[in-house]
Amino acid sequence: MTALIAGLDADRLRHFATREAMRFAASRPNTQHTLNAGDGAFLAGVPMHWMRDWPMPFPLLISSANSATITDVDGYSLDDFCLGDTGSLFGHSPAPVAKAVAAQARRGLTYMLPSTDALEAGRLLTKRFGNFRWQIATTASDANRCAIRIARAVTGRPKILVFNGCYHGTVDDVMVELKGRKTVTRAGMVGQVADPAAHAVVVEFNDIAALQAALAKGDVAAVLAEPVMTNCCMVLPDDGYWPAVRAACDAAGTLLIVDETHTVSSGLGGWARGHGLQADAFVIGKSVAGGVACAAWGLAPDLARKFMAQDAKRLPGHSGMGTTLSGNPLQFAALRANLGEVMTAKSYARMEKRAARLADGLAAAITGAGLPWHVVRVGARVEFICAPGPLRNGTQAKAAHCGPVERAVHLGLVNRGCLIAPFHNMMLVSPATKKRQVDRLIGAFVEVLAELVE
């Protein structure tokens, strides 16, 4: 009997992947030579070790990016649906952001003091995301760390609750998962000394009874969550789930931290604002400044008052929050331009329209190929999942991942001029993404599936 992987013949899949890897390597001699020539300076030969994790024989070297197109050093232009894994959600170097960055560079890059752009950026953060008292960080990981500290400080409780399979950047406190019914430290952690599982609780997404039981113990300072799970095969919330979570947090005296770093793709103001979910603390990063490294965390007014009253009584010294270069004027110039001129209702309407076309096209291709896969879309974020759906929690999402299939499809798409996110099957549509680019991706996907199922 022929072995199947996610509905595909295993031998055919292996032959396709081998052929596509050879095609990629043969087509990029300059990339390979340049990578080898510069291999000694960086650990693993790249600035960030995970840049080796792309499902190609070696990573691309990029010479330029503009709008929704990225160009490598061998001269190949690819339609970019990865968009820096959300960092360039609104396209590469949006004109208002590029202009603001260039102007600010002539006025200085860091002051350790606010600018007038900072005040306007604060107003725009509130206009876009809701009534919070804001602070600026450089990454969403940093912002989440700060929000967690605030929650523990105000509640006097030690634990943070997260959902199995969640992603909140490189925050050690939440590098945990479920093993049976037990919270344990995630496998694969490097150099971890303290045990995150001692101060964290994990439950499955969409299981309100498990959440209520965990909160009833009275030791959870905050629930930290994405409104839609996005980094483990997308998992949508059940109808009525988030109102029930909000009610459970209120009943237990637990705060709710909403991390919209990825789900800002769902619409103007993010998922929570669009669905009427009130957070106690709000985190946004990656795309918020149009590609400039920047994040923000905000506290609802009541939580802000409680924290400021407590902060006024603490002994002087380091709070453990904030870094010297965060809140620099370059960030604020980019924030002001992106929030005010790029992240607009018109942009989102364009993104939604193109993303809906992409999702429909991918779904039709999957149906036409007779595969047991499905497609999920959250606003401008689209994902094909190599398993039946819908998925309801992190355990199901983990089981739905199919590395050999995903790597082969990804490489096949790259060789046909389309770049998607490297670690799962996520695609983003920016305001700059053209209809013809969407149609090329659909066509490439159809072609890859045809070769895999024939």
Side-chain angles (χ1 to χ4, degrees), residues 223-287:
V223 172
L224 171 60
E226 293 184 293
V228 175
M229 295 189 74
T230 66
N231 216 60
C232 60
C233 294
M234 280 203 289
V235 180
L236 303 177
D238 290 344
D239 290 342
Y241 179 65
W242 278 113
V245 172
R246 179 70 269 182
C249 288
D250 291 342
T254 298
L255 301 173
L256 176 59
I257 306 170
V258 173
D259 180 357
E260 294 255 32
T261 299
H262 286 162
T263 54
V264 70
S265 68
S266 65
L268 187 62
W271 195 97
R273 195 165 201 192
H275 291 79
L277 174 63
Q278 182 57 55
D280 297 300
F282 182 94
V283 171
I284 182 73
K286 289 198 176 184
S287 65

Side-chain angles (χ1 to χ4, degrees), residues 200-218:
V201 181
V202 182
V203 301
E204 292 285 14
F205 196 70
N206 280 325
D207 188 341
I208 193 63
L211 176 72
Q212 290 169 333
L215 296 185
K217 297 177 181 179

Side-chain angles (χ1 to χ4, degrees), residues 39 42-46 49 52:
D39 198 41
F42 288 114
L43 181 68
V46 285
H49 65 87
R52 283 283 183 187

Side-chain angles (χ1 to χ4, degrees), residues 12 37 135 160 198 200 202-203 210 226 303 313 344 362 409 424 443 450:
R12 182 177 289 278
Q135 290 282 273
I160 303 298
V202 182
V203 301
E226 293 184 293
L303 178 57
K313 297 176 183 177
T344 63
L362 297 178
V409 172
H424 45 104

Side-chain angles (χ1 to χ4, degrees), residues 345-362:
K346 183 178 179 181
S347 290
Y348 273 100
R350 184 179 180 87
M351 293 155 72
E352 286 264 354
K353 182 178 180 181
R354 297 279 189 264
R357 184 181 185 89
L358 175 59
D360 289 345
L362 297 178

Side-chain angles (χ1 to χ4, degrees), residues 358-434:
L358 175 59
D360 289 345
L362 297 178
I366 289 167
T367 299
L371 291 170
W373 302 0
H374 71 288
V375 174
V376 182
R377 181 172 75 89
V378 177
R381 189 182 185 96
V382 179
E383 188 171 311
F384 67 89
I385 297 172
C386 303
L391 308 175
R392 294 196 63 249
N393 57 47
T395 296
Q396 292 179 5
K398 183 177 181 180
H401 269 300
C402 189
V405 175
E406 293 167 4
R407 289 191 293 271
V409 172
H410 181 108
L411 187 50
L413 293 176
V414 168
N415 284 338
R416 289 157 180 80
C418 303
L419 186 71
I420 67 172
F423 307 125
H424 45 104
N425 309 316
M426 187 272 293
M427 292 149 280
L428 290 164
V429 175
S430 78
T433 304
K434 303 290 192 291

